[in-house]
Amino acid sequence: MVYLGALVLFLLYDVNNSTKVCTKQSNYHFLHRGVKLPGKDFVRVTTEGVVTCARTCLITGMCKSFNFNTNNGQCELNYATLTAGGLNVSHLVAAAGFVFSDISHWPQKLSGACAYHNCIVNTYCKALDNKKSICSRYVIPTSCAEVKACEPSSTDGEYWLRLLNFDLYRTRIYCHNMSTANPVEFLTLPTPNYGVFPNVSNMNCNGETPLVGNCVGTSGEVWYNKIRVAIETMDVVRSDTTFAVFTNLQADYAQAMDCYSIHNNGVSPCGTKGEFIVNLLGTGWVTKADQQWKTGGWMSVIESVTRDDTGSVVRIKCGGLAGFCHPDGPMILKPYPEEGASSIQGTEVRCLQ
């Protein structure tokens, strides 16, 4: 107990007096030197020393460990740490100038009035005086509304968010209507996603003609440049056409349709002409492997749904007279990290000051 008390006093002194050059790391035998835990940080701040970095972790609701760069003072707060049966020392990677530490090695008294705080995930403890504290604003934005809360002057554009329901996955999201009280989230598509409802019919496969009957005037093409997503689930709001361009007929995202032929008991000999190509390359998201499409309209059929190996690109062909197909149930995306896949830049908003 005498040793622990002396250590706490030493640490409290070090918080107030540490710098990037004078903190004696040799005093902290539990540090892993020359390594870091990669891919688990949710926020990065610059601190004066390793002890200040530890204190920042202690006061932050979801911080389990940290990486500290002794060369430039960068403090990386991690939402994960080494555990029995989980991450272990083999997951640490060599990183010159870095030290890694599990936050459980640091005494709570180091955080002063915030010791043993009960701040929830994505908030942090802020001391009001030596005895009182409050749980303050977001640590990192997890929605466009939180971006605006962190930086009220933020305008429409691309921002980096961390999604709570996806293990704090870091993703670039376009924030729209930031001048309003209810901004909304869109996923920018580096390659516009294309659909076509051709101006051609071949009712009984006896030869092509322009569209006939009620289908006349309904052909067209569509290009989606951004798709709206429900940020909590990454369910695509397929009916939102804010960032879609149409030549004529307005169609929902990921819906293919035509008025080409009648299909009885399978695809007719002349096939279908309706097509939509989902292309999520460069977004960091893919379609689920079990995502299905279903038909609608009259005498309709799904000719094919082909996917690439990852689910990033899906080509849908279907039609009827008139007939269409669309995702069966919610179209929920799943994370798929892609290093340097897109040149689209995003703004990193930091709420933890």
Side-chain angles (χ1 to χ4, degrees):
M1 293 298 293
V2 174
Y3 170 76
L4 178 59
L7 176 61
V8 169
L9 289 175
F10 175 77
L11 292 176
L12 291 173
Y13 174 82
D14 206 1
V15 167
N16 295 322
N17 297 279
S18 64
T19 68
K20 287 179 284 188
V21 295
C22 72
T23 300
K24 294 182 179 180
Q25 297 173 33
S26 59
N27 290 313
Y28 315 117
H29 62 87
F30 45 78
L31 293 177
H32 295 263
R33 296 174 176 79
V35 295
K36 63 182 292 186
L37 181 63
K40 303 300 181 183
D41 62 288
F42 61 90
V43 71
R44 300 179 182 185
V45 295
T46 299
T47 61
E48 294 181 334
V50 65
V51 178
T52 313
C53 183
R55 181 183 184 278
T56 305
C57 184
L58 281 169
I59 67 173
T60 305
M62 54 189 164
C63 186
K64 301 294 180 61
S65 66
F66 64 86
N67 308 314
F68 179 71
N69 188 328
T70 60
N71 295 321
N72 60 18
Q74 179 173 276
C75 174
E76 301 174 356
L77 305 185
N78 299 324
Y79 61 85
T81 191
L82 310 185
T83 59
L87 297 175
N88 54 58
V89 291
S90 68
H91 291 89
L92 301 177
V93 300
F98 271 88
V99 295
F100 166 81
S101 179
D102 185 302
I103 196 57
S104 65
H105 294 302
W106 299 84
Q108 282 289 329
K109 288 186 177 181
L110 184 61
S111 52
C114 288
Y116 304 103
H117 67 82
N118 59 356
C119 296
I120 62 174
V121 170
N122 208 30
T123 64
Y124 67 96
C125 181
K126 183 177 182 180
L128 299 178
D129 54 34
N130 291 333
K131 295 183 179 180
K132 297 180 180 178
S133 65
I134 59 171
C135 293
S136 194
R137 51 194 278 179
Y138 316 107
V139 176
I140 49 172
T142 64
S143 68
C144 292
E146 291 182 8
V147 169
K148 185 173 180 179
C150 291
E151 295 288 347
S153 61
S154 297
T155 57
D156 287 12
E158 303 282 349
Y159 294 89
W160 289 101
L161 305 182
R162 294 275 188 170
L163 304 192
L164 292 176
N165 292 339
F166 293 87
D167 198 22
L168 292 176
Y169 182 64
R170 182 175 183 263
T171 186
R172 188 191 62 248
I173 292 292
Y174 184 87
C175 293
H176 183 56
N177 285 340
M178 290 292 277
S179 61
T180 71
N182 298 296
V184 290
E185 291 83 13
F186 285 81
L187 189 64
T188 296
L189 305 169
T191 300
N193 289 198
Y194 173 72
V196 58
F197 183 161
N199 182 26
V200 62
S201 287
N202 194 353
M203 186 178 298
N204 295 306
C205 297
N206 293 324
E208 293 185 346
T209 66
L211 290 177
V212 297
N214 294 333
C215 293
V216 173
T218 59
S219 64
E221 297 173 284
V222 59
W223 293 265
Y224 275 85
N225 298 298
K226 303 179 194 297
I227 51 175
R228 186 173 174 181
V229 292
I231 203 68
E232 297 85 4
T233 60
M234 288 304 289
D235 183 358
V236 178
V237 184
R238 297 177 41 254
S239 60
D240 193 299
T241 59
T242 303
F243 293 100
V245 178
F246 303 91
T247 60
N248 185 19
L249 181 68
Q250 181 168 310
D252 290 350
Y253 181 75
Q255 176 173 298
M257 58 192 303
D258 71 15
C259 191
Y260 188 65
S261 184
I262 294 174
H263 305 280
N264 286 311
N265 301 318
V267 181
S268 72
C270 48
T272 63
K273 293 293 183 180
E275 184 176 27
F276 194 99
I277 300 175
V278 172
N279 189 337
L280 301 175
L281 289 171
T283 66
W285 297 88
V286 297
T287 59
K288 296 192 302 180
D290 60 354
Q291 179 69 63
Q292 301 294 316
W293 270 255
K294 67 179 182 180
T295 58
W298 190 65
M299 293 295 182
S300 56
V301 69
I302 297 174
E303 182 173 349
S304 63
V305 176
T306 57
R307 298 173 168 86
D308 68 357
D309 292 340
T310 65
S312 298
V313 180
V314 185
R315 182 183 181 187
I316 307 105
K317 282 181 60 63
C318 63
L321 206 77
F324 59 91
C325 65
H326 57 84
D328 187 0
M331 186 177 184
I332 298 175
L333 307 182
K334 67 175 186 177
Y336 185 76
E338 298 175 274
E339 290 294 333
S342 173
S343 60
I344 299 173
Q345 301 298 309
T347 299
E348 191 100 49
V349 174
R350 188 177 72 195
C351 307
L352 178 61
Q353 303 294 337

